[in-house]
Amino acid sequence: LAVDPAGGVFVADSGNNRIRHVSPNGDVTSVAGSGVAGFADDVLLRAAFRNPHAISVTPAGVLLVADTDNHRIRAIDLAAGLVSTYAGAGVAGFRDATVATQAYILGPVGLAYVAHSGDLFVTCADSRIRVVRLSGAVETVLNGAGVGGFADAFGLAARFHEPGHMALNEDETVLYVADRRNNRIRAVALASMAVTTVAGTEAFPATGSTLASDGAEAGGALPGSSGGVRFSHPYGIAFYLEPLEVADVAGNASLPGRPALLITELRSHRLRRIILEGNVIGSPDPGVASFAYAGSYNSGRGLIDELGPACMFDQPAAVAVVPGTGGAVVFVADSENHALRQVVRETPTRLRISVKAVDTNIYPGAGGGEPGYIRSRVLDTYGYYSVNGPPNNETTHAHGVVTYIDESHDLAMCAYPSSEYFFLFKGSIQAVVAEDDAADLHAGPGAGHIYLVWTGTAAGDERSENFRLRGGGCTDPVAANFNSWAFFDDGSCVAGTRVELEFKAVG
């Protein structure tokens, strides 16, 4: 994957042997490749690829493609309409060379282009990491022996084991590598070629759940893996600067943003968020910490669009962050689902749920359904409540029983704009559901939305409903993206396609 300045995405469509482009409004076009597996340098749609993988874009707008099974790096010049060979002789072997097209590059997988120097880093199937210089020379810079293994060291002495994709930090001084078979994320200081391990160990998580994978790399303050951060075949990687207001409790307002990585895992079918520096909730030190970001918490595979751990992937591969979003908009190549997925970070709204018992004796005949009934302050249950949410309202976020006249419950929960929630209140209780600053029913204008105020006066009284946060959306009922929950029209309506069906009896 590679994101263009307009927010579109270039995709290496390996199975179709094409390079595709997905525009911000969802239009998909083929930009290069005939679709027939093979090798040919030609005009865009007559050129041939064989199992292309990574894409990197130069400042001049040239697409560099890891043409894996052709053992070459290809260049796509969209302005000239031509595909050419950038590096590699097409031989499945190993040879450095001063002329790029005479080098042997075995099964290139990941690419990272350094804009200020013109160097192109390449991960190869023989576990080496090579560089194609702007001069055309191809050099081996990491894991000179080409033997899969693990060693943090300098340059050629370092060892990797089938590394996948790579990403550069904001000033292009550090190269991050998803070291797949070592289950580690490695960092390469480009000035010295020193390789260090950022997170992970060779061992897989003890179980398939996120609780055995996420946590702090050191210190043990975060809930989760007692052995620190663990991965299960990390493959895709993207670097971004995360705004400090996202879960920031350190008060580091002077920093422009903390460095972070998004990692895809082939075996656990998840997208992970790695904080590289900066204090985060639960971690006492400004070190490395890992958090679940998207994908099944128990490593299940499938295709579900939902919030966070309720969604599902099937072997997510490449990942790319849209520039300028601070990691808020991300694209994931969901390989076995043959889909391009978009992950959008939503800001939650804090809801306050207040429940208190109602003295039904003030309602003649209401207490137990019979005139003159006096409710016991000790033995009778006054009411019950539950709050369910995604996925499919199957997760209970809060529930409780109010059992005596003076009892009240006051809870807070985070609700997300894209999710639907289900509330159930039953019995002799008063319930209020409102945004946190509006939970006081006497609050003035601008205090937020009040979603529900209800009073039950008998044991059998019940109030249940589904709801979403009030917000903007498409309010046009004939639009393709009509949102029945939208509180106001935000201009996002997309024209639909009218389909007319005609049915006839044929006897």
Side-chain angles (χ1 to χ4, degrees), residues 212-257:
S213 304
D214 295 317
E217 183 66 14
L222 287 173
S225 170
S226 60
V229 181
R230 302 233 178 143
F231 296 98
S232 186
H233 282 208
Y235 190 65
I237 186 169
F239 176 91
Y240 67 102
L241 291 177
E242 181 175 275
L244 290 180
E245 62 267 22
V246 180
D248 179 51
V249 295
N252 296 322
S254 62
L255 299 177

Side-chain angles (χ1 to χ4, degrees), residues 256-487:
R258 59 172 153 245
L261 299 171
L262 289 176
I263 311 291
T264 62
E265 292 181 285
L266 290 178
R267 286 188 52 171
S268 66
H269 315 290
R270 283 199 300 260
L271 180 63
R272 306 271 294 279
R273 166 177 166 251
I274 310 296
I275 301 300
L276 297 173
E277 298 174 16
N279 291 347
V280 292
I281 290 176
S283 179
D285 303 310
V288 174
S290 169
F291 301 86
Y293 202 72
S296 170
Y297 68 92
N298 62 358
S299 302
R301 62 199 300 176
L303 177 58
I304 297 177
D305 288 334
E306 255 294 0
L307 183 69
C311 76
M312 297 184 78
F313 298 96
D314 193 347
Q315 294 191 23
V319 56
V321 174
V322 176
T325 66
V329 183
V330 176
F331 289 99
V332 177
D334 193 2
S335 62
E336 290 304 303
N337 279 323
H338 308 284
L340 179 65
R341 312 284 292 278
Q342 185 183 62
V343 181
V344 178
R345 184 173 63 225
E346 292 187 338
T347 301
T349 294
R350 179 170 163 157
L351 291 184
R352 184 174 169 185
I353 305 161
S354 299
V355 181
K356 65 179 181 180
V358 171
D359 185 358
T360 59
N361 296 318
I362 67 175
Y363 301 102
E370 299 178 3
Y373 176 86
I374 303 299
R375 179 183 288 276
S376 169
R377 290 173 178 263
V378 177
L379 300 178
D380 289 348
T381 296
Y382 276 73
Y384 168 82
Y385 63 91
S386 69
V387 182
N388 288 6
N392 306 315
N393 288 330
E394 295 172 355
T395 301
T396 300
H397 294 281
H399 66 94
V401 177
V402 181
T403 59
Y404 58 89
I405 187 59
D406 296 321
E407 184 174 3
S408 65
H409 295 182
D410 200 4
L411 308 96
M413 66 171 281
C414 288
Y416 291 84
S418 65
S419 296
E420 185 174 322
Y421 299 89
F422 176 75
F423 288 88
L424 170 65
F425 300 98
K426 186 172 183 177
S428 305
I429 55 176
Q430 183 183 74
V432 178
V433 179
E435 294 178 12
D436 196 28
D437 53 357
D440 178 357
L441 299 183
H442 301 290
H449 296 294
I450 299 172
Y451 293 96
L452 179 146
V453 178
W454 177 78
T455 301
T457 61
D461 287 355
E462 180 178 307
R463 174 70 179 270
S464 62
E465 65 178 71
N466 288 53
F467 95 104
R468 282 189 177 183
L469 294 177
R470 290 191 173 187
C474 176
T475 61
D476 183 356
V478 300
N481 61 331
F482 170 62
N483 181 358
S484 61
W485 298 96
F487 188 60

